[in-house]
Amino acid sequence: MRTFELSRRLQKLPPYLFAQIDKQKRELRAKGIKLIDLSIGDPDIPAPDKAADILYESARVKDYQKYPLDAGLPSFKQAVKNWFRVRFGVSLDERKEIITLIGSKEGLVHLPLAFVNPGDYILIPSPGYPGYRGAGLLSGAKIHEMPLLAKNNFLPELKKIPRAIRDKAKIIYLNYPNNPTSALAPKIFLEELVKFASKYGLIIAYDNAYSEIYFDKKPSSILEIKGAKEVSLEFHSFSKTFCMTGYRLGWACGNEQLVEGLLRVKTNVDSGAFLAIQKAGEVLLNEEAVYTDYVRKVIGERRDIFIGVLRNAGFSEVHADSTFYVWAKIPDKFKSSLDYSRYLLVEKNVAATPGLGFGKYGEGYIRFALTVEKDVLSSVKLL
Ligand SMILES: Cc1ncc(COP(=O)(O)O)c(C=O)c1O
């Protein structure tokens, strides 16, 4: 049989680390074993009923059945503009500074195709959301991993990025509230970041997918920082804010040229998000507060319970400052994060994500997603 060789680009993507764990999950389930799955960042909380109601009504509207306009439904972008002003005090021009996305991942991954040439560097956090690495490699970029370490509150040390790499870097990806560490970025760091990017001609791709999943401190937008709009594009998602992962809706906003570049890629790749889904998003953004208060309350309660479970099991380092993830140092007796996650799955029937899956600096940690009910969380056995 003829074999088709994968492109060098695709071959460069790291092997799928979780394949073995996924196989074990399937095998255990096939044996009828019920797993507690804390491995995937897909909220169990239902999306607002209104999302489905508006989608249903709007899907019947003839105009919404057509190709979406590339940059997005104007009334959706107006809703983003209003929401952004109220939430962050930032004003955006809805005609030039906002673009609708088919989920934020779509935009994050397409961005380098607009601004990166083969051989340029992109800077990614490690541990970090795996999409950034894929984005860089698919565009032919070289990857530089910035360690996010507990001793630095999971913020990168920008000064430690080698000079030669700074000069060849085009995009710096960062994400706070952070997946997987749950860390938040203080404004003072965001100011340093904007100065750094301005000095070295870098684009800041600021992934704010979890901006509404917080407990004590309200996360900021990078666009609140003076000078940020010159160099940044910020990404938002309905997947986490409204538990709408399957709808595939998000947006990017910020620098006009970055919006325009991303739009040029998108017009060659996709034809935009279904207008009826954008309509649902518009209505939700206009009525936001009640639902997101509810999500924060539910996740906050789960977090308190699960921190207790970890402490009782003797975990020494537990981070749960925002998002619906808990990032914990693995118990000493395990050699690696993969080792511990295998033990959890096979011996305790709990699925969690080994830190190594988020990059080499994630080794030694494990990520739990708080995507099951409180009583299930309190029954979790970890050792
Ligand atoms: C940090 C981060 N950014 C982006 C995404 C992608 O979200 P979306 O569903 O909007 O594509 C995720 C999804 O898990 C994420 O964790």
Side-chain angles (χ1 to χ4, degrees):
M1 202 175 68
R2 187 175 163 180
T3 51
F4 295 96
E5 199 181 329
L6 290 174
S7 68
R8 280 193 286 281
R9 265 190 314 275
L10 212 52
Q11 285 181 34
K12 274 194 202 152
L13 289 181
Y16 185 49
L17 235 189
F18 309 131
Q20 204 193 342
I21 290 185
D22 280 350
K23 190 165 159 260
Q24 277 172 328
K25 271 205 249 178
R26 276 196 305 276
E27 284 167 4
L28 291 170
R29 283 190 173 123
K31 284 190 201 153
I33 294 172
K34 223 170 151 241
L35 300 177
I36 299 180
D37 197 344
L38 309 180
S39 63
I40 303 170
D42 198 345
D44 61 314
I45 302 169
D49 285 342
K50 209 155 201 174
D53 294 346
I54 309 280
L55 172 60
Y56 180 75
E57 278 163 29
S58 309
R60 291 174 174 273
V61 176
K62 198 156 164 274
D63 279 351
Y64 291 164
Q65 295 168 0
K66 297 189 180 305
Y67 282 121
L69 292 175
D70 295 323
L73 184 70
S75 55
F76 170 78
K77 295 199 293 175
Q78 185 66 45
V80 169
K81 175 191 169 113
N82 295 343
W83 183 85
F84 227 83
R85 196 185 50 236
V86 172
R87 172 67 177 84
F88 298 115
V90 170
S91 65
L92 294 166
D93 180 339
E94 71 280 16
R95 290 160 310 160
K96 297 186 203 146
E97 294 178 340
I98 302 172
I99 179 169
T100 304
L101 299 173
I102 310 170
S104 63
K105 181 184 197 176
E106 178 262 296
L108 287 161
V109 175
H110 280 144
L111 184 68
L113 292 181
F115 296 101
V116 170
N117 291 311
D120 291 341
Y121 271 91
I122 64 153
L123 311 176
I124 66 167
S126 173
Y129 175 59
Y132 313 137
R133 182 185 302 274
L137 292 175
L138 289 174
S139 69
K142 291 186 180 151
I143 307 290
H144 175 77
E145 287 186 45
M146 302 174 289
L148 303 190
L149 307 177
K151 67 173 179 161
N152 298 323
N153 299 320
F154 300 110
L155 299 168
E157 289 182 281
L158 301 175
K159 289 193 194 85
K160 289 210 173 148
I161 299 168
R163 202 43 215 250
I165 290 181
R166 292 182 201 184
D167 290 337
K168 282 200 234 146
K170 286 279 167 64
I171 300 180
I172 180 167
Y173 281 96
L174 281 172
N175 153 239
Y176 296 97
N178 184 254
N179 171 16
T181 68
S182 86
L184 290 156
K187 277 219 169 125
I188 188 155
F189 170 75
L190 297 181
E191 283 161 7
E192 183 194 341
L193 174 64
V194 169
K195 276 199 196 116
F196 182 82
S198 310
K199 181 161 175 196
Y200 292 100
L202 282 173
I203 294 166
I204 302 173
Y206 195 75
D207 180 356
N208 216 341
Y210 296 89
S211 69
E212 303 316 298
I213 319 283
Y214 57 86
F215 309 111
D216 312 318
K217 288 185 218 129
K218 240 182 179 179
S220 309
S221 160
I222 187 87
L223 299 172
E224 290 173 43
I225 307 300
K226 193 161 169 264
K229 222 193 247 181
E230 306 294 308
V231 290
S232 317
L233 195 60
E234 177 161 302
F235 294 80
H236 284 262
S237 170
F238 281 72
S239 297
K240 319 293 169 172
T241 303
F242 294 103
C243 303
M244 284 165 64
T245 46
Y247 281 71
R248 311 309 302 135
L249 186 63
W251 77 84
C253 56
N255 182 278
E256 172 181 339
Q257 288 174 52
L258 300 179
V259 167
E260 173 63 27
L262 186 53
L263 177 60
R264 280 179 70 172
V265 175
K266 281 174 61 58
T267 39
N268 283 285
V269 178
D270 60 64
S271 298
F274 183 21
L275 289 168
I277 290 180
Q278 295 194 52
K279 192 71 197 167
E282 170 192 327
V283 173
L284 294 178
L285 278 182
N286 286 335
E287 300 176 5
E288 185 253 346
V290 181
Y291 183 79
T292 49
D293 280 349
Y294 165 71
V295 171
R296 280 189 287 273
K297 182 170 163 289
V298 171
I299 302 293
E301 288 170 0
R302 291 178 182 181
R303 164 198 179 237
D304 294 344
I305 285 173
F306 199 62
I307 289 177
V309 171
L310 285 154
R311 294 269 181 241
N312 287 339
F315 278 65
S316 58
E317 199 189 310
V318 174
H319 304 275
D321 293 337
S322 66
T323 71
F324 45 71
Y325 303 113
V326 175
W327 184 243
K329 204 163 177 82
I330 61 170
D332 289 342
K333 66 174 178 172
F334 293 94
K335 296 199 297 292
S336 69
S337 57
L338 215 50
D339 207 28
Y340 180 50
S341 61
R342 261 191 232 120
Y343 165 87
L344 270 181
L345 189 61
V346 176
E347 304 295 330
K348 305 292 171 192
N349 301 143
V350 173
T353 310
L356 183 62
F358 301 99
K360 67 177 178 224
Y361 295 97
E363 185 49 284
Y365 287 85
I366 187 130
R367 190 196 75 176
F368 299 96
L370 302 173
T371 49
V372 298
E373 306 262 1
K374 284 189 287 192
D375 54 335
V376 181
L377 281 175
S378 57
S379 74
V380 167
K381 299 276 177 293
L382 297 163
L383 279 172

